[in-house]
Amino acid sequence: MFLPVNRQEMLDRGWSQCDFVYIVGDAYVDHPSFGHAIISRCLEAKGYKVGIISQPDWHDLNSFQEFGLPRLAFLVTAGNIDSMVNHYSVNKRRRDKDNYTDNGEMGKRPDRATIVYCQKLREIYGNDVPIVIGGIEASLRRFAHYDYWDDKVRKSILIDSGADILLYGMGENSIIETADALASGLNVKDITYIRGSAYKTKNIDYLYDYKMLPSYEEICSDKEKYCDSFVTQFQNTDAINADVLVEPYKGWFVVCNPPAFPLTQEEMDATYSLPYERTFHPMYHHIPAIDEVQFSIISNRGCFGACSFCALASHQGRRISSRSKESIVEEAKKITEHKDFKGYIHDIGGPTANFYRPSCDRQLEYGTCKTRQCLDPKPCPNIVVTHKQYLEILRAVRSLPRVKKVFVRSGVRYDYLMYDPDDEFFRELVQHHISGQLKVAPEHVSNSVLRYMGKCNHELYEKFRSKYIKLNEEYGKNQFLVPYLMSSHPGCDLDDAIELALYLKSIHHIPQQVQDFYPTPMTLSTCMYYTEMDPYTKKPVYVAKNKHDKLLQRVLMQYSYPKNQALVIEALKKAGREDLIGYSDKCLVKPMKYQKPKNQVRR
């Protein structure tokens, strides 16, 4: 049974009032791949009454009042994806489809949805009821941050939204702690102790152990201060060794508590065993976002990959939590009973499919290292590389009745795969778990760019690629390898883009889609993009910022497209590489032929 979405459904359950009213920027999908489904089901499991208001019309205040005033609080989230990323491409063009809305219709949520929803609630109810915000949009804006769409440093979303508490990260335990505190009668301003929470206050005299970040005013006026603030935030993302962080504003302090502890395996199993309907609410026709995940299974959380352009470490953390084999197999059995199941499990994985256990055992006692990464630039001597447990899960699921294939689509970290001395997983991956093509993310070929990206060197990718081809030949498979590649990342100039284009020519691969670097809050790459320096060394970093410079890098990746010919020639001339314009095999593009102007027709 879905949770109530209107007053009548609330009354039909015998409720006179909801404990929590959940304002969601997505369509209501009761599936564990959707954050609002997990949080609402966790609250329900603890006996709390939750009503869902999905995609309210922010032009109509009545749409926020469907359930009236909740007993404890409003919960607000923009949805599974940041509303600005959801609405705009990297070129800041409005997208024409929203996969988290009925029939993909665009325009059902506002820009900066978390802020808008909170402001509407304050307009209606004032301060009569607490507002708790969460989700990816709020989580990655808990501190002041560079905003790509406004091209300026914005304040913490706590300041702009007027919310009382921000719960960052995955949130199951922190939302229950918050709910219990409110239910016990605590004033929302006294709830200052919950892990994985941030709040604003005018007085911090009660704090005794914290780190003070540079003020909002300082980071707006001094990019080195911005770097200092980012580094401190990045080094305090582990639940065991993180400090309380305080960010000053004129008249306010934003206080961020250490992250919530990762869920234990028992807690994670319990979360995914809740009674989800595993589909969208029947009031909708079709929600496109369900298509890829309906028959997929989440096996793990967290990522120790350290890609500079990814905010996962700041949201889910670097320490891996995982579900038991028994829990995953049980979910797979439920999937096989679905009326639309055709025999294919689309994925078993997480942010990185083959990260099933913590990268080293010392993390369980001391937390992840503050000043070194697990894989970048070389694997840590303490890292434990094994795929045995994950492989056992894949074997168990693919042996179930009615299961024809189990695919791995959530991304395989190929460097971790290559560091495993036992190639058993690699072999079974090729034999059983690829749906025609394996997508991996080398991102670039220039080792200098890869260093800025936090990725391994290109030579390791080539070893992986060679072994992948060899194993496919060995098992008689005709499976492709599709590399994800990125243009215009900080540190990448035209020479690096040309190096990538020459590599693509050498392997006879032209990507159909090109991923241009997209600066999003709370990533190392975004810090470099804004400040044009390495935040650790303060050394300058080249950044392609204007649209034309970024376009020249992008077209080089699709150098053979006729429509890109003139721009590719321009890029090569600008880089002083006219030697690559010609008719020989080593050249990227042929000289453009002179076209005689057409005769004008006299009237």
Side-chain angles (χ1 to χ4, degrees), residues 25 27 106 112 117 140 166 186 190 217 242 298 359 366 380 383 389 411 443 475 557:
M106 179 57 79
R112 310 190 190 283
Y117 291 159
L140 300 183
L166 184 158
L186 274 182
D190 296 326
E217 291 73 26
I298 295 170
S359 57
Y366 301 105
C380 172
I383 195 170
Q389 292 171 298
E443 302 296 356
Y475 294 115
M557 292 170 67

Side-chain angles (χ1 to χ4, degrees), residues 1-6 9 13 22-31 34-41 44 50-56 67 100-102 109 275-287 290:
M1 177 186 283
F2 288 92
L3 296 173
V5 297
N6 56 53
E9 290 184 0
R13 289 188 173 216
Y22 204 159
I23 310 292
V24 184
D26 290 341
Y28 177 26
V29 183
D30 191 32
H31 187 284
F34 293 75
H36 62 262
I38 288 181
I39 296 300
S40 59
R41 288 297 185 185
E44 180 191 44
V50 184
I52 306 286
I53 297 180
S54 172
Q55 298 185 319
F67 296 101
Y100 293 85
T101 299
D102 197 17
R109 82 185 89 201
Y276 305 100
E277 293 290 334
R278 301 192 64 85
T279 188
F280 50 82
H281 193 280
M283 63 183 168
Y284 306 117
H285 297 93
H286 180 65
I287 309 300
I290 194 67

